[in-house]
Amino acid sequence: MSAPAERVTIKDVAAAAGVSKGAVSLAFNHKPGVSEATRERIFAAARRLGWAPNSSARSLSRQSVDTIGLAICRPARLLGLEPFYMEFISGIESVLAERRCSLLLRLVSSLEEEIVLQETWWRERQVGGSILVDFHRDDPRLGPLRALGLPAVAVGHPSLTGGLPSLWTDDATATAEAVRYLAALGHRRIARVGGPADLGHSAIRWAAFRETMEGLGLDDGLHAETGFSGEEGARATRSLLLTADRPTAIVYDNDLMAVAGLGVAAEMGISVPDELSLLAWDDSQLCRLTHPTLSAMSHDVHGFGAQVARVLFEVIAGEDVPSRPVATPSLVPRASTAPPRP
C-alpha cells in the first residue's frame, strides 16, 4: 500500500510564493499589507499546489466546475421586466445545462457589494468562475478581482474591462447606423433616451450618437439619461415631447423604454410614425407585440449569453482567450419609423 500524499500547508504556499506565512494569510483574508502583484503571486502558488485556506474547500488545482457566478447591480423588479437580461441568462443556462452546471445569480445594490460577494464566492469555492457585466468607466471591481485570481469573462468593451478576457457587441457602429437611418428618412431632430452616463456601454452609445449627429450637421442636444426602467423611459419621453422644438424621432437604449415611449405618444395624441418615429434596442418579443410594431437594433442576445458562458469555460480551463466583438446590432425597420410629416 502506497503512503498517503503529504498534505500541502500554508508554509509550502509561502515558500513557493517567496513570502512569509503571514503574507499568505493577509492575501487570503483580503487584508491590507501585501501588494496586488504579491497577492496574485500567492494565489497562483496556492492554485498550483492545490491548497485552500479552508480544509473543507475543494482542491484548487483539481476543482470540478459545477457552478458559475453572475452578479447584477440592478433592482430586482427592473431585472424581472428587462428583456435583455432574461434572454442573456437563458443563453448562459443553455450552455450550463449541457455541462450539468448551475448558475449562482445574485442581485447587488452596488459594485462595492459585488466585490465582497465575488471574493466570498471564490474564497469559499462556491464558483469556478464568474461572468462580469455592466462595466463602468474606472470600474472599481478591476483591481480587487484581478488580485483575487478569479477566472472571469467581462461583458464589455476592452476600454472598460482592464485587460480581462472580454466579449462585447459593437454598440458604437450600431448607434451610428440608427442615426444615419433616421436622418436618411428625413429626420433632423433626433433624440436619444439612454442609460446612466457612468455606465460604460451607455457612454459609448452616447459618444457615437453625438459624433454621428455632428457629422451630419444635426443638433445633438436632445438627450435624456435614465435607469432603464419603463417609468423613467416614459418620463424622459414626455419631457422631450413637451419641448417647444420637440424631436421627430427617438432612439432608446432598451425595448422596455421604447414601449413606454410609445404609450406616452399615444397618451399625448402624437401619432407614431406619422408625427414621431421610435427606434428600440435589442429587438425582444416586445417590439413585435406593440401597435405599431417597433423598429429596433437587433442582435441575438440568447446566443450572446451562450457564447459568453462557453468562453468562461475556456478561461477556467486555462486557455488563452482573446477579447473580441461578438456582433454588431443590425437595423430591423418596422412600422414605428417613417419619414417625418412635412
Side-chain angles (χ1 to χ4, degrees):
M1 180 176 176
S2 61
E6 185 176 348
R7 186 171 68 88
V8 177
T9 67
I10 189 173
K11 182 179 179 180
D12 299 319
V13 175
V19 298
S20 67
K21 290 192 295 182
V24 176
S25 179
L26 289 174
F28 273 90
N29 285 291
H30 307 285
K31 293 182 178 179
V34 293
S35 68
E36 286 191 11
T38 300
R39 193 187 307 270
E40 188 170 352
R41 190 167 75 249
I42 291 168
F43 287 144
R47 287 196 301 273
R48 189 168 63 252
L49 295 174
W51 180 86
N54 184 341
S55 61
S56 65
R58 289 171 291 180
S59 166
L60 283 169
S61 63
R62 296 189 300 272
Q63 176 179 314
S64 62
V65 179
D66 53 21
T67 304
I68 66 169
L70 172 63
I72 303 176
C73 189
R74 299 282 178 94
R77 183 170 178 272
L78 176 58
L79 188 68
L81 297 172
E82 173 58 74
F84 173 86
Y85 270 118
M86 294 301 98
E87 281 290 302
F88 183 72
I89 291 171
S90 74
I92 294 171
E93 289 281 14
S94 70
V95 173
L96 299 188
E98 295 171 358
R99 295 173 175 258
R100 297 185 178 181
C101 295
S102 300
L103 177 68
L104 182 53
L105 172 65
R106 280 281 299 275
L107 303 185
V108 295
S109 60
S110 68
L111 297 181
E112 289 70 25
E113 181 183 345
E114 181 181 347
I115 293 170
V116 174
L117 176 67
Q118 296 282 4
E119 289 176 340
T120 300
W121 279 352
W122 183 239
R123 186 172 61 246
E124 297 181 357
R125 300 294 167 254
Q126 295 183 46
V127 300
S130 285
I131 294 168
L132 306 177
V133 297
D134 284 346
F135 278 82
H136 292 238
R137 290 175 290 188
D138 301 319
D139 198 289
R141 295 171 292 180
L142 292 174
L145 296 187
R146 274 201 304 264
L148 192 63
L150 170 74
V153 169
V155 179
H157 192 272
S159 63
L160 305 167
T161 57
L164 291 171
S166 305
L167 297 178
W168 71 97
T169 57
D170 188 351
D171 288 348
T173 298
T175 299
E177 181 184 0
V179 173
R180 292 192 185 103
Y181 164 69
L182 292 169
L185 289 177
H187 293 280
R188 294 296 174 264
R189 297 189 306 280
I190 304 170
R192 176 176 176 269
V193 175
D198 63 341
L199 192 61
H201 70 265
S202 290
I204 288 171
R205 293 179 193 180
W206 168 230
F209 179 87
R210 184 178 62 248
E211 291 166 9
T212 307
M213 292 285 284
E214 289 175 353
L216 294 170
L218 304 177
D219 180 12
D220 66 350
L222 297 173
H223 172 74
E225 296 172 11
T226 72
F228 293 118
S229 71
E231 291 85 354
E232 291 186 58
R235 188 179 305 117
T237 302
R238 191 174 292 108
S239 177
L240 288 168
L241 296 180
L242 286 172
T243 58
D245 199 20
R246 74 188 189 201
T248 61
I250 304 176
V251 180
Y252 293 87
D253 254 13
N254 71 3
D255 296 345
L256 190 60
M257 294 194 297
V259 172
L262 181 61
V264 169
E267 163 201 314
M268 297 178 67
I270 298 173
S271 175
V272 175
D274 294 338
E275 298 173 275
L276 176 68
S277 287
L278 303 180
L279 183 61
W281 199 286
D282 292 329
D283 195 24
S284 68
Q285 189 67 21
L286 284 178
C287 294
R288 293 178 286 281
L289 295 176
T290 59
H291 181 74
T293 54
L294 287 167
S295 298
M297 301 308 296
S298 179
H299 61 117
D300 182 3
V301 178
H302 177 95
F304 185 27
Q307 190 161 357
V308 167
R310 292 190 188 101
V311 169
L312 177 58
F313 283 109
E314 294 174 8
V315 171
I316 292 170
E319 297 181 27
D320 185 16
V321 178
S323 296
R324 59 185 184 272
V326 173
T328 301
S330 57
L331 177 69
V332 178
R334 294 196 183 95
S336 69
T337 49
R341 180 182 290 176

